[in-house]
Amino acid sequence: MRSFLRYLLPSCAVILLGGGAVWAATDGFRAFTEEGARRLHVAEHRPGIPELILEDMNGGKLTLGGQSQKSGKITLVEFIYTTCPTICQTAGSEYAGLRDRLSEAGLGDRVRLLSVSFDPLLDTPQQMREYAKNHDAEGAIWTVARIRPQDLGLMKRGFRLRVIPDGMGGYQHNAAIHLIDRAGRLSGIFNTDDVNGVMGAVRGRL
Amino acid sequence: MSPVRIILSIGLLGGCVLFRHSIEADPVTHVLIQLPLLAISGHLFVSGLGGHKLRITEPVANAFSLVAVFAILFWMLPRYIDAALVNPVAELAKFVSIPIFIGGTLATGWAKSNPFLRGFLKANAISMLGVLAFLYIQAPVRICNSYLVADQERLGFAFLISAFGLAIAWSIPLFAPPPKEMKNSKFLMRKTAR
């Protein structure tokens, strides 16, 4: 019996250490992907994001994050490029559904929805108005805006976005709804179809 | 000491580092070519230094093989494949840890590990590749933020082919005439009773 234990001892030590390492590397078996790790980090640490200046579809100036938002509204942000043929279009109609749910719940004046383009060169205000029209973004609760080209890197780092060319002139990118609370901190990331999750989080942060 | 192996090893590692951008542009070559080559490089280096002749006991050899298993598990996490592409620390960790903790440990310990453990790990490697293949082909979400969904699917099929390849490669010896020591009918008894 004792020799059997002695036989197993080195292996057991490696299993314990190795298991512990994998446990730590996945935040306790909770985050196996970069996207999972990003969402977990945001939910647990509510990182601040740098102040970003955006141009909306009517040419007006908007600010996002930093000090600009203190004691303001909750902001929901999704990142798009308007020439996207697939996921941004679906996300657009899901966003419209979310806007309607927020209005029905009487939260329309306490939450703003932004679709932010990370492709400022192609997404001119006219192009953004077209996207808004197609998805019924009326400009009051939900508006479409683009980042200034010089702030693109800052925005990607702040939100830990990964945008990669898809080889057909478009991009693949994190499709998600980002919740910025009234203190200007990024405090939740949700799937674009997770309306109930977003509604719950909005109520919780008001 | 085998200078040829050591030179080959360094050449392989150097090639992996030098051509990393083109190899890593495609997840199939990144995961199924570069990572195994890094392990082979470590294996060649350690066996070139005579590590495979190191006199270690079977329990220690088992532990060495298990270190490799956990290192493989770690580098199969999509999170760290992504990290190795954008984070220089993770990138360095990849080029250092895979040769040492997968190649080096297997060169030292694998052949001396318990044959049942080896068989168990081989069977698990095949089934793990099968599960990964299913996951990468069927996943409704992007698993790696650095790679396109279509590439993710190709990687899934490549995992499937690798699983079949390993299954075939590891079954062939079962049909070959048994080595001398296996003819001793007490061999398996002796191994398990220890």
Side-chain angles (χ1 to χ4, degrees):
Chain A
M1 185 64 192
R2 272 186 60 196
S3 69
F4 183 63
L5 285 179
R6 209 177 303 142
Y7 183 87
L8 286 181
L9 193 66
S11 298
C12 289
V14 170
I15 289 170
L16 276 178
L17 283 173
V22 173
W23 185 81
T26 54
D27 290 300
F29 303 125
R30 288 181 298 167
F32 296 89
T33 60
E34 157 62 21
E35 186 64 13
R38 184 176 84 103
R39 294 185 184 196
L40 191 65
H41 173 80
V42 162
E44 289 186 343
H45 296 96
R46 302 190 179 192
I49 45 171
E51 186 167 321
L52 300 165
I53 295 166
L54 311 174
E55 183 189 12
D56 73 15
M57 58 186 181
N58 299 315
K61 205 179 98 176
L62 282 179
T63 51
L64 182 65
Q67 298 294 314
S68 68
Q69 231 166 324
K70 290 252 161 91
S71 74
K73 295 177 177 180
I74 285 179
T75 306
L76 300 175
V77 185
E78 64 172 18
F79 297 96
I80 59 157
Y81 64 105
T82 64
T83 46
C84 172
T86 53
I87 204 158
C88 307
Q89 305 300 335
T90 323
S93 44
E94 283 161 349
Y95 225 33
L98 178 62
R99 185 263 323 273
D100 295 342
R101 280 279 300 275
L102 287 164
S103 300
E104 286 162 21
L107 298 170
D109 55 344
R110 304 173 75 177
V111 182
R112 65 169 175 165
L113 276 69
L114 285 178
S115 294
V116 177
S117 165
F118 51 75
D119 190 8
L121 297 182
L122 282 185
D123 287 338
T124 57
Q126 189 198 347
Q127 187 73 30
M128 293 192 285
R129 279 198 299 277
E130 192 68 23
Y131 180 88
K133 206 177 102 194
N134 290 340
H135 294 100
D136 190 27
E138 78 303 321
I141 301 177
W142 173 21
T143 193
V144 185
R146 63 174 176 178
I147 186 73
R148 296 188 302 184
Q150 65 266 37
D151 290 343
L152 186 57
L154 190 64
M155 180 173 86
K156 283 197 210 163
R157 278 193 301 279
F159 287 91
R160 264 169 85 177
L161 295 182
R162 292 276 290 148
V163 176
I164 53 171
D166 68 2
M168 293 178 288
Y171 305 95
Q172 282 190 9
H173 57 97
N174 321 58
I177 296 174
H178 304 71
L179 188 151
I180 300 171
D181 65 18
R182 292 191 298 166
R185 303 206 302 177
L186 183 56
S187 66
I189 303 178
F190 306 87
N191 286 335
T192 53
D193 59 359
D194 186 11
V195 177
N196 291 331
V198 176
M199 291 295 292
V202 164
R203 289 202 174 94
R205 305 278 189 282
L206 276 172
Chain B
M1 180 94 177
S2 156
V4 179
R5 286 184 185 214
I6 292 176
I7 291 166
L8 262 176
S9 155
I10 293 170
L12 266 183
L13 181 63
C16 284
V17 173
L18 218 58
F19 300 110
R20 64 185 185 281
H21 294 301
S22 41
I23 298 174
E24 291 165 0
D26 185 326
V28 178
T29 49
H30 186 186
V31 173
L32 286 171
I33 308 257
Q34 192 196 56
L35 304 190
L37 283 182
L38 287 174
I40 290 169
S41 154
H43 194 290
L44 285 171
F45 193 84
V46 170
S47 60
L49 286 177
H52 58 303
K53 290 182 194 142
L54 212 64
R55 292 165 66 93
I56 54 169
T57 61
E58 191 174 288
V60 174
N62 291 342
F64 269 64
S65 293
L66 287 173
V67 168
V69 168
F70 280 102
I72 292 171
L73 262 180
F74 180 89
W75 286 108
M76 280 285 130
L77 293 172
R79 186 175 165 177
Y80 292 97
I81 293 299
D82 259 331
L85 291 165
V86 291
N87 178 346
V89 178
E91 187 176 26
L92 181 70
K94 181 178 79 177
F95 286 113
V96 172
S97 71
I98 292 182
I100 297 175
F101 292 122
I102 301 178
T105 51
L106 289 180
T108 319
W110 181 254
K112 297 187 190 77
S113 296
N114 187 311
F116 287 111
L117 177 70
R118 276 185 283 163
F120 175 77
L121 294 182
K122 282 177 175 177
N124 272 283
I126 294 170
S127 57
M128 186 179 77
L129 280 170
V131 170
L132 283 174
F134 175 74
L135 182 72
Y136 277 66
I137 296 168
Q138 294 293 330
V141 293
R142 283 170 72 206
I143 295 171
C144 274
N145 282 351
S146 305
Y147 292 119
L148 303 172
V149 174
D151 290 340
Q152 174 173 310
E153 269 181 48
R154 278 195 306 115
L155 180 58
F157 283 109
F159 277 140
L160 198 61
I161 293 166
S162 314
F164 277 116
L166 283 182
I168 292 166
W170 283 338
S171 338
I172 288 171
L174 303 179
F175 298 100
K180 270 183 205 147
E181 80 239 52
M182 289 287 273
K183 282 185 182 148
N184 179 353
S185 60
K186 283 180 186 164
F187 174 74
L188 291 177
M189 301 287 288
R190 193 157 49 79
K191 280 284 177 192
T192 45
R194 208 187 268 176

